[in-house]
Amino acid sequence: MQAVHSAPPMSVRKKRAKGEKGYLRRAIGYLGHYRTMTFIAYGALVVATLAQLVVPQLVQAMIDGITQGAIAQRVLSIPNEGVQAMALSQLNTTKEALQTTYNNAPSWILGAVALILVVAVFRGLFAFIQAYAAEWTAQGIAYSMRNDIFTRIQRLSFSYYDRNQTGQLMIRATDDVERVRLFIAQGLLLTFQAFLLLIVTLTILFLTNWRLTLAIIPILPFSVILFAVFGKISQPLFRDVQMRLSKLNTVLQENVAGIRVVKAFVRQNREQKRFDDANMDLYIHWLKIARAFSFLFPMIFFVGQIGQAVILYFAGSQIIDGSLMIGEYQKFNLYLVYIFFPLGQLGMIVSLMAQASASAERIFEIIDTKSEITDKPNAVALPPIQGDVEFREVTFRYFNSTAPVLNKVSFTAKKGQTIALLGATGSGKTTIINLIPRFYDASEGSVLIDGHDVRDVQLDSLRSQIGIVLQETNLFSGSIRDNIAFGRPDASDEAVMNAAKAAAAHDFIMEFPDGYNTSVGERGATLSGGQKQRIAIARALLLNPKLLILDDSTSAVDFTTERKIQAALDNLMKDRTSFVIAQRISTARNADQIIVLEKGQIVAMGTHAELIENSPIYAEIFASQLVDDSHPVAEAV
Amino acid sequence: MMMDQRRLFDQETRKAKNVLGTIRRFSVYFRPYWLNLFAVVAFTLVVVYCNILYPELIGQAADCYLISTPTVQMGGSGVPTADCWYTDITQLTTTEAKVSGLLGLAFTIAGTFLVSALFTGFSFYTMRLAGQGALRDMRGDLFGHMHNLSIGYYSRNEAGEIMSRLTNDMDTLQQMFNFALLNVFQGVMIIFWIGVAMLRENLVYGLISLSVAPLMLFVTRYFSGQARKAFRVARKEIGQVNADLQESIAGAREVQAFNREEESIAQFQRANEANRAANVRAAVFTSALNPVLEAFSYVALGIVVLVGGFSALNNQPLIEGTAVITIGTIFAFIAYIQRINQPISQIAVLWTNVQSGIAGGERIFNLMDETIEVVDRENAKQMPPIIGEVSFNDVEAEYVKGEKVLRGINFDVKKGEMVAIVGPTGAGKTTIINMIPRFYDVTGGSVLIDGVDVREVTQDSLRQQIGMVLQDTFLFSDTVMENIRYGRLSASDDEVIVAAKMVAAHEFIERLPEGYQTVLGERGSGLSQGQRQLIAIARVALMNPNILILDEATSSVDTRTERVIQSAFEKLLEGRTSFVIAHRLSTIRNADMVLMVKDGQIIERGTHQELLAHGGAYYDLYMSQFKAEEDVA
């Protein structure tokens, strides 16, 4: 790490580039999962390419057959014997030989055409197999990569989610995978094909007529240069347009979503001006692309075409002096395409490869992330929880930060107690409750449940016995029933319903036409924050845990509902050890123990009565932070 | 076959209902660029001409220079006369003459290539110049029109949906005018001219040689259509994969908390597998398209060689009385037929883009045609400076015809009074306040401000004098300074700061990384709900209106911020006529008049004390919601 930092920037960049290539190689290594199909794809590619290379030979045969035959016919049909003899001598042949040529011409042409059709079908078949197999493997690779990413993401510790946003992770699994797929499905294969075509074609051309081949070689560098220019110019131009477009869309978005504000403040003219500016900017950048692309593409074609004119002259001269057959010229012309075409492909592939490399690196960054929280090799199953929880000198620091979020926190919760956690945002409340189900590991000290260090037991056995209601409730697509039974998919309908009733969710669930079968999530019914929360509570209660953790759980519902939930919870907390991040006064009041936190340390601990007496901090929090009740929600929900 | 093709077209693309009408609308935007369009057509003709010239020149090369039939000049009989316009053929007796003639021809050919490349560039550039200009103007008009649309339109349509429609449609238009349209046009022209050239050169031979072309077009359309269909399925599947991903990443904590990793992974793999299967299915068609097309091109080549070859061999015309096919003709035809493949596949693939572009244009024009519900009267006056008296006289309102959301709303508010509006969700509270700045028009009765009917003054002059703090605070991705200045564009920085201080927003703004110059993320992300609201309040404070409309937020902010906001509100309300959709008891207590709204009607009115004493609906509301909490406290 140090060495890299102190190295000069250039070598850093080199190292990085090399690293990226390494990732791309690793991505290509996924082809190993689909060895047979990969083999088929590349095998078919070789066959199809070679078949393609046969075509000009056949065309040459056809044309030579026609030309020779036609000339023979003309000479043979000259009525004047003398003239015919002169022609024969000029052509340096005999009448018999011409007659044979003429007689054989039809079958020669027929044969060549038949062969071309056979090759066409053959090549078509293999080209299809190649394209299909390549797509098959590429889709397979994308599939495997997505699975790997997903599996990894599911098992990462909470601190990973703290550091990474959903949107970014999504992009890895979608756009980045797509880019790698595109490169492997097309780029890699095309590179192979391009080199194959280029090498074989040039070899054939050299062997048939090296002088003619030399005539076109000077053109090759031009097309390579043009493609390099193309790649260099196009990417930043498109990036620019993309940037302008998203700017324009932001203005548009703001005006659609904020139309009331725009109208209320009568700011249409200002907004129109903002939009016009963005619009003009976009227009100018589109024109830049238009300028570059309108001429670059035709020029690239032009360079390829110039070869045809060059060949016409050089080959033509050879034909005229009799050293070249006209069919061979045609063949040459056809082969020309096979030289310029792959060069063009290589130009495209370079940019494809650069993108794929960067994407592969991002993908493997995820796949290579080690989960910080895993079972110890000799972890045992946690026996049924009784409910004693102890924090022993627990210190917690976030990944590579020096300031502790929790500093030497110690406390004991007895079986069946309710512990209320209080403190300002960032005081460490949430961290404490996250340490119990081992979403994070303590940096120092230990968390014990019934005397077992949570790091010594199997994660599954630990978490399955703890009921958790997180601050933000996420529901998953599926029915309401599925969501409540999230932690116990095999729960009976009755158990699900009881949990819902206890969480004051049953009534509103029954109001949906499909009741418990109402689907929620992405494409389902939209639930209000309060409804979601009650489902989350039901979900936790269904586990019938001995340990219950509630984070801000009752802040987003209206008062009437809240009282219902509160009553249900009070009831439910009775036989369980519960940790509650308190937002409401009533919660704090009823707790067996209140822990007051400030900057990661416990500053006061005790019951409400004790604390109100002798803790000024508690008194202040009580007065200012807890929701007191003269500002209720007046919506009749 | 024509019928089948049509059917495929219909299935495959979203087509505009009124193609001609839409094109006419486009033409309005292209009118300033008619010279460009004219030039595009001219340039394209040059390009196409160059394209078909090459095969002809190659044919001449063969007939005039390359085919050595030395006896031709001497014998004279049975000689196919080639049309060599480049040089007079009779001069070409020596090898040197032929080679130099050939050199000239090679340069001519290179020249046509160059001209073709340049004019292709010109045509695309000119077309893009016109297309981008027209699109820019369309976007500007569209944006302007969006402001004219009434709030009603935006309540009926989701913002997200409007956005994605606009961006998608604009994108299809962009594609169409950027390359699809011109490529299709060029392709059609090339095919047409090549067809004509072939038929003119030799009608029978041409017909036979072209016979494969329609088949190719059909096959390409078929395969690309099928591929499109298959991809649509694949898109749906990838949508599912993405939804699963999104859900699982967002809910990863829950998945772990409830030990659902295995199931979640298994579920994802199923969706992922379905996506792969759909994509592989689509790959059948995409993979087949090019090989099949290529095979057809070989068939076409075979036909050209076979038919032409035998005719040349026998020195007999295909049909008695037509011209004999020369070897040059065969050469030309080979070149022609090779040049027809690319345009055919291009047209087949891009035609869909053109169709979608037209359909996208139609939808955009439809949006532009959307009726504007609230319009200024022809002789609307400026609203005089507002004093602050508001009256509702028998106001009725409906969003959907026949469904009244407000009925018989009557009240009078004096200057400086505060009105609290309470009631259940959907009772019509928001509708009432929306009538004051004329976001909607009444369908009966009238709304008067200082005795002036709001419909008789211009919307701008009215709204400029009414301050609104909406429940869902909307901030722009701009600096805090500019967001506050939005209330009065002419305000100086100092005035902005004074307004922020007045509503106690100054303190937290100063603490932001770059103070007032901090750029807010999309929709003000990066700030808490409460902070966003304070900025919105400062915005209105800067505006200093005499009528104020507030929609109190129901969402929870922390108690400290809540208090700050509360006192900011109180400061703001001082001395102004105000309407508050109230959710807090303290607000209601301070109100000069409380309106209890239910089912679009005012069912009770009076002060908090009066209504409590009355013992009606308000009393019930109070007992069930406010009173209970006072007890707890």
Side-chain angles (χ1 to χ4, degrees):
Chain A
M1 216 33 200
Q2 272 306 318
V4 173
H5 275 292
S6 57
M10 191 53 207
S11 79
V12 172
R13 212 179 308 151
K14 256 189 199 148
K15 235 173 217 164
R16 198 177 147 71
K18 213 168 149 197
E20 279 181 10
K21 286 261 162 49
Y23 285 116
L24 194 57
R25 239 200 310 278
R26 226 175 115 189
I28 294 168
Y30 271 71
L31 282 174
H33 296 327
Y34 307 98
R35 221 164 260 151
T36 322
M37 268 309 211
T38 309
F39 183 75
I40 290 174
Y42 281 82
L45 174 71
V46 173
V47 175
T49 307
L50 294 181
Q52 188 181 350
L53 287 166
V54 172
V55 172
Q57 302 279 0
L58 295 173
V59 171
Q60 177 197 6
M62 292 189 312
I63 287 172
D64 283 347
I66 295 171
T67 351
Q68 300 303 315
I71 290 172
Q73 191 270 338
R74 306 268 139 106
V75 175
L76 289 172
S77 61
I78 296 172
N80 184 323
E81 295 248 338
V83 176
Q84 193 179 47
M86 267 176 70
L88 283 173
S89 79
Q90 264 191 349
L91 286 172
N92 200 14
T93 181
T94 61
K95 199 174 174 181
E96 288 69 34
L98 272 188
Q99 192 63 52
T100 322
T101 310
Y102 179 66
N103 289 344
N104 286 343
S107 54
W108 182 261
I109 297 170
L110 265 181
V113 168
L115 261 178
I116 270 200
L117 292 183
V118 170
V119 168
V121 171
F122 188 71
R123 159 153 169 83
L125 188 66
F126 277 89
F128 169 73
I129 292 174
Q130 171 250 303
Y132 182 72
E135 190 59 35
W136 199 94
T137 49
Q139 289 292 344
I141 287 175
Y143 167 79
S144 305
M145 279 188 163
R146 274 196 289 263
N147 277 348
D148 285 357
I149 292 173
F150 189 83
T151 308
R152 177 52 57 193
I153 287 176
Q154 289 289 285
R155 298 189 192 282
L156 289 172
S157 72
F158 274 30
S159 59
Y160 187 80
Y161 306 125
D162 296 338
R163 293 195 301 273
N164 295 280
Q165 288 177 346
T166 308
Q168 285 169 354
L169 292 174
M170 279 293 292
I171 287 174
R172 308 266 165 109
T174 53
D175 291 6
D176 283 335
V177 168
E178 191 56 21
R179 268 195 212 108
V180 171
R181 182 190 71 74
L182 202 66
F183 175 70
I184 290 176
Q186 295 179 5
L188 202 60
L189 215 68
L190 288 184
T191 313
F192 183 70
Q193 188 191 29
F195 279 112
L196 189 70
L197 263 181
L198 211 56
I199 290 167
V200 177
T201 309
L202 278 176
T203 312
I204 292 176
L205 289 185
F206 261 109
L207 289 180
T208 33
N209 195 325
W210 64 269
R211 282 191 299 154
L212 216 47
T213 314
L214 284 183
I216 48 161
I217 293 283
I219 305 171
L220 298 187
F222 281 104
S223 60
V224 175
I225 289 169
L226 266 179
F227 274 109
V229 168
F230 174 75
K232 238 197 155 56
I233 288 179
S234 68
Q235 275 201 15
L237 279 181
F238 275 115
R239 213 176 29 235
D240 279 357
V241 158
Q242 211 49 49
M243 242 168 63
R244 267 37 181 225
L245 189 63
S246 72
K247 237 188 215 158
L248 184 88
N249 280 342
T250 306
V251 180
L252 193 62
Q253 161 81 36
E254 284 184 346
N255 276 274
V256 171
I259 188 78
R260 279 163 195 273
V261 174
V262 176
K263 280 188 179 261
F265 287 92
V266 196
R267 292 290 175 260
Q268 173 173 355
N269 290 341
R270 176 181 184 270
E271 295 303 322
Q272 184 79 48
K273 173 144 193 339
R274 272 178 78 205
F275 185 83
D276 287 347
D277 290 348
N279 197 6
M280 200 61 196
D281 204 23
L282 177 67
Y283 167 73
I284 288 168
H285 279 84
W286 266 119
L287 286 194
K288 271 190 187 162
I289 284 196
R291 258 197 296 281
F293 279 69
S294 299
F295 293 98
L296 205 54
F297 262 124
M299 278 306 143
I300 287 169
F301 270 111
F302 173 62
V303 170
Q305 284 175 324
I306 278 294
Q308 295 181 332
V310 171
I311 287 292
L312 175 67
Y313 173 67
F314 285 100
S317 310
Q318 289 187 10
I319 293 172
I320 291 170
D321 73 23
S323 61
L324 186 73
M325 299 276 274
I326 195 158
E328 199 167 298
Y329 154 70
Q330 267 291 359
K331 179 177 80 171
F332 231 87
N333 227 347
L334 288 176
Y335 274 125
L336 220 53
V337 179
Y338 298 157
I339 294 178
F340 286 101
F341 183 64
L343 282 177
Q345 277 184 343
L346 286 176
M348 303 283 180
I349 291 162
V350 171
S351 72
L352 216 60
M353 185 159 85
Q355 291 178 356
S357 292
S359 291
E361 186 181 4
R362 286 193 290 266
I363 290 169
F364 285 112
E365 217 172 77
I366 296 188
I367 294 180
D368 292 345
T369 310
K370 294 255 180 325
S371 179
E372 293 136 46
I373 293 172
T374 46
D375 282 345
K376 276 189 182 172
N378 52 354
V380 291
L382 179 69
I385 291 180
Q386 300 302 306
D388 290 332
V389 177
E390 188 187 352
F391 272 55
R392 232 181 248 169
E393 298 273 306
V394 172
T395 297
F396 179 77
R397 270 179 215 97
Y398 274 108
F399 158 89
N400 75 23
S401 122
T402 45
V405 182
L406 282 185
N407 199 355
K408 299 216 162 92
V409 167
S410 297
F411 65 84
T412 312
K414 290 262 154 43
K415 177 177 186 296
Q417 279 190 336
T418 297
I419 316 293
L421 300 165
L422 263 105
T425 313
S427 60
K429 297 170 295 190
T430 307
T431 310
I432 288 187
I433 61 166
N434 276 335
L435 285 168
I436 302 171
R438 217 185 147 206
F439 288 146
Y440 301 103
D441 271 342
S443 311
E444 288 158 36
S446 51
V447 177
L448 306 171
I449 295 180
D450 298 338
H452 299 274
D453 191 315
V454 291
R455 283 168 298 192
D456 293 338
V457 297
Q458 289 165 3
L459 272 176
D460 285 5
S461 68
L462 171 71
R463 290 179 184 164
S464 61
Q465 297 189 62
I466 302 177
I468 303 165
V469 179
L470 295 164
Q471 194 167 10
E472 270 175 55
T473 302
N474 275 294
L475 296 184
F476 295 82
S477 5
S479 65
I480 290 183
R481 188 209 170 275
D482 292 346
N483 268 288
I484 295 178
F486 193 64
R488 254 179 70 195
D490 55 341
S492 70
D493 287 352
E494 202 192 340
V496 168
M497 214 175 283
N498 284 338
K501 278 179 183 159
H506 180 73
D507 290 345
F508 84 76
I509 293 172
M510 291 314 286
E511 275 171 27
F512 289 113
D514 295 328
Y516 281 85
N517 292 320
T518 307
S519 62
V520 293
E522 195 80 6
R523 279 174 271 273
T526 29
L527 300 182
S528 72
Q531 291 172 332
K532 273 192 197 166
Q533 206 159 33
R534 278 175 273 170
I535 286 178
I537 292 169
R539 185 165 72 179
L541 293 178
L542 183 67
L543 297 176
N544 193 19
K546 284 285 175 217
L547 206 55
L548 197 62
I549 291 174
L550 304 166
D551 190 351
D552 271 2
S553 57
T554 53
S555 60
V557 292
D558 65 274
F559 185 74
T560 323
T561 317
E562 188 191 325
R563 273 199 306 167
K564 282 189 206 155
I565 298 173
Q566 200 64 51
L569 285 180
D570 288 346
N571 204 16
L572 279 153
M573 284 190 239
K574 257 176 204 156
D575 298 326
R576 309 167 208 272
T577 311
S578 314
F579 289 83
V580 185
I581 291 184
Q583 191 82 9
R584 310 273 169 177
I585 283 170
S586 52
T587 315
R589 268 193 187 154
N590 298 337
D592 298 301
Q593 230 186 119
I594 299 166
I595 295 176
V596 183
L597 290 153
E598 201 173 74
K599 291 177 187 149
Q601 282 180 309
I602 296 182
V603 290
M605 198 154 41
T607 62
H608 173 71
E610 289 163 14
L611 292 177
I612 206 92
E613 279 294 302
N614 46 36
S615 169
I617 296 177
Y618 177 73
E620 200 219 309
I621 291 176
F622 185 79
S624 74
Q625 278 185 19
L626 296 184
V627 173
D628 93 278
D629 313 288
S630 49
H631 307 306
V633 174
E635 298 277 342
V637 175
Chain B
M1 189 156 87
M2 217 36 224
M3 274 310 292
D4 277 347
Q5 217 163 315
R6 271 213 70 84
R7 190 175 52 83
L8 274 166
F9 284 11
D10 284 345
Q11 278 179 356
E12 270 329 291
T13 45
R14 201 201 335 251
K15 286 182 77 174
K17 286 195 192 76
N18 183 356
V19 178
L20 277 181
T22 308
I23 291 174
R24 209 168 299 133
R25 295 288 291 268
F26 278 133
S27 70
V28 175
Y29 285 95
F30 276 99
R31 198 162 294 150
Y33 307 99
W34 69 270
L35 212 59
N36 287 49
L37 295 187
F38 186 74
V40 168
V41 174
F43 292 153
T44 306
L45 290 181
V46 173
V47 171
V48 171
Y49 180 69
C50 288
N51 258 296
I52 60 157
L53 205 52
Y54 172 74
E56 201 173 306
L57 292 175
I58 282 290
Q60 285 185 24
D63 278 346
C64 305
Y65 310 111
L66 303 182
I67 310 293
S68 52
T69 45
T71 53
V72 162
Q73 268 74 31
M74 297 175 253
S77 81
V79 181
T81 45
D83 173 25
C84 300
W85 57 259
Y86 177 70
T87 334
D88 187 357
I89 194 156
T90 51
Q91 296 172 354
L92 300 177
T93 43
T94 62
T95 306
E96 289 71 36
K98 281 185 183 175
V99 170
S100 81
L102 192 63
L103 183 64
L105 195 66
F107 270 109
T108 311
I109 287 177
T112 65
F113 286 153
L114 185 63
V115 170
S116 163
L118 284 177
F119 277 77
T120 305
F122 286 140
S123 67
F124 270 91
Y125 184 62
T126 322
M127 179 66 206
R128 283 169 181 168
L129 217 55
Q132 293 301 339
L135 278 176
R136 182 200 56 202
D137 299 344
M138 260 175 88
R139 284 193 298 258
D141 280 3
L142 183 63
F143 187 79
H145 184 78
M146 283 168 50
H147 286 127
N148 296 335
L149 287 176
S150 323
I151 292 294
Y153 177 81
Y154 293 94
S155 355
R156 285 192 302 274
N157 298 280
E158 292 266 344
E161 213 168 282
I162 299 176
M163 267 308 286
S164 76
R165 242 179 67 181
L166 287 182
T167 47
N168 284 341
D169 290 342
M170 274 299 173
D171 203 44
T172 58
L173 285 184
Q174 189 72 251
Q175 281 180 18
M176 174 163 87
F177 290 130
N178 227 358
F179 57 89
L181 195 61
L182 191 50
N183 271 327
V184 168
F185 178 61
Q186 233 179 42
V188 170
M189 294 296 286
I190 287 176
I191 292 175
F192 178 73
W193 274 40
I194 285 183
V196 168
M198 287 171 91
L199 295 177
R200 265 186 46 201
E201 178 125 17
N202 191 317
L203 187 69
V204 185
Y205 190 26
L207 278 177
I208 296 172
S209 303
L210 285 170
S211 61
V212 187
L215 198 60
M216 277 166 90
L217 194 63
F218 170 71
V219 166
T220 315
R221 287 289 315 177
Y222 175 75
F223 276 104
S224 57
Q226 288 297 316
R228 242 182 269 277
K229 223 187 282 177
F231 274 128
R232 195 150 49 218
V233 178
R235 262 202 301 281
K236 221 186 276 168
E237 296 292 348
I238 194 78
Q240 183 60 46
V241 170
N242 287 347
D244 269 17
L245 255 174
Q246 170 91 45
E247 200 171 270
S248 295
I249 296 173
R253 291 160 208 259
E254 261 119 330
V255 169
Q256 292 195 6
F258 288 90
N259 275 320
R260 283 291 294 256
E261 293 98 325
E262 296 300 333
E263 288 90 338
S264 164
I265 290 168
Q267 186 194 344
F268 177 77
Q269 287 188 351
R270 275 197 300 277
N272 198 7
E273 174 59 46
N275 168 51
R276 174 169 75 162
N279 269 309
V280 169
R281 261 198 307 280
V284 173
F285 299 107
T286 51
S287 308
L289 181 57
N290 279 325
V292 170
L293 208 57
E294 201 187 289
F296 270 110
S297 75
Y298 286 135
V299 172
L301 184 69
I303 291 174
V304 168
V305 169
L306 216 53
V307 173
F310 277 96
S311 170
L313 212 53
N314 299 325
N315 205 14
Q316 294 288 321
L318 287 170
I319 290 175
E320 213 53 54
T322 58
V324 173
I325 296 169
T326 66
I327 295 178
T329 308
I330 301 176
F331 266 42
F333 270 50
I334 290 176
Y336 280 135
I337 211 78
Q338 282 174 341
R339 276 174 149 63
I340 225 167
N341 297 339
Q342 209 231 342
I344 285 182
S345 66
Q346 213 168 45
I347 290 172
V349 174
L350 291 181
W351 182 238
T352 315
N353 287 45
V354 173
Q355 279 181 312
S356 311
I358 294 174
E362 185 176 46
R363 271 200 307 274
I364 285 177
F365 291 133
N366 281 346
L367 181 64
M368 288 193 191
D369 294 343
E370 189 82 30
T371 44
I372 302 166
E373 292 144 38
V374 181
V375 276
D376 284 346
R377 283 203 185 154
E378 224 168 276
N379 50 356
K381 319 172 288 208
Q382 295 287 306
M383 181 75 199
I386 289 182
I387 296 161
E389 283 179 13
V390 178
S391 332
F392 273 52
N393 295 325
D394 243 334
V395 168
E396 281 182 9
E398 48 193 40
Y399 294 143
V400 183
K401 221 169 168 46
E403 288 174 32
K404 289 196 170 62
V405 284
L406 287 184
R407 268 171 303 173
I409 302 289
N410 276 302
F411 60 80
D412 294 293
V413 183
K414 291 200 187 61
K415 175 183 175 352
E417 278 187 346
M418 171 184 174
V419 179
I421 305 172
V422 296
T425 310
K429 294 173 296 189
T430 311
T431 312
I432 290 179
I433 61 165
N434 274 336
M435 308 311 273
I436 302 169
R438 206 179 159 211
F439 280 163
Y440 295 97
D441 266 339
V442 297
T443 48
S446 60
V447 176
L448 307 178
I449 296 179
D450 297 341
V452 179
D453 191 314
V454 292
R455 284 168 299 183
E456 278 166 12
V457 295
T458 62
Q459 295 170 64
D460 286 6
S461 66
L462 174 71
R463 289 178 194 154
Q464 258 155 5
Q465 303 188 61
I466 300 176
M468 295 189 88
V469 179
L470 302 165
Q471 193 185 45
D472 179 20
T473 310
F474 189 89
L475 299 181
F476 294 87
S477 39
D478 204 336
T479 60
V480 173
M481 183 70 86
E482 290 313 313
N483 263 292
I484 297 178
R485 211 199 305 272
Y486 207 80
R488 181 154 55 87
L489 296 184
S490 60
S492 68
D493 286 3
D494 287 340
E495 285 173 303
V496 169
I497 294 170
V498 168
K501 277 182 179 157
M502 179 188 148
V503 302
H506 179 72
E507 199 189 324
F508 92 81
I509 294 173
E510 284 286 89
R511 277 203 307 268
L512 292 175
E514 282 162 67
Y516 282 87
Q517 297 309 321
T518 308
V519 175
L520 303 178
E522 210 168 292
R523 308 203 64 181
S525 63
L527 296 183
S528 76
Q529 174 84 23
Q531 290 170 331
R532 285 209 293 271
Q533 215 164 13
L534 280 177
I535 290 182
I537 296 170
R539 192 153 69 183
V540 174
L542 185 67
M543 186 182 173
N544 195 18
N546 276 333
I547 295 182
L548 202 60
I549 293 170
L550 300 177
D551 195 348
E552 268 185 343
T554 44
S555 50
S556 52
V557 291
D558 71 89
T559 330
R560 232 173 244 168
T561 317
E562 174 73 53
R563 279 195 196 159
V564 175
I565 293 174
Q566 202 61 37
S567 70
F569 269 146
E570 277 161 26
K571 268 205 197 100
L572 198 60
L573 296 180
E574 257 167 46
R576 307 174 208 270
T577 310
S578 55
F579 296 84
V580 185
I581 295 183
H583 299 298
R584 320 232 180 281
L585 190 54
S586 57
T587 316
I588 301 172
R589 278 197 181 125
N590 292 339
D592 298 300
M593 174 160 68
V594 178
L595 298 177
M596 174 85 193
V597 183
K598 203 181 168 192
D599 299 329
Q601 285 174 301
I602 298 175
I603 53 171
E604 283 170 30
R605 68 179 77 202
T607 64
H608 169 68
Q609 289 304 331
E610 286 165 10
L611 289 185
L612 275 192
H614 174 65
Y618 180 79
Y619 177 81
D620 292 342
L621 182 78
Y622 174 79
M623 288 312 280
S624 74
Q625 299 198 23
F626 304 123
K627 183 64 169 42
E629 297 195 14
E630 281 183 328
D631 291 347
V632 174

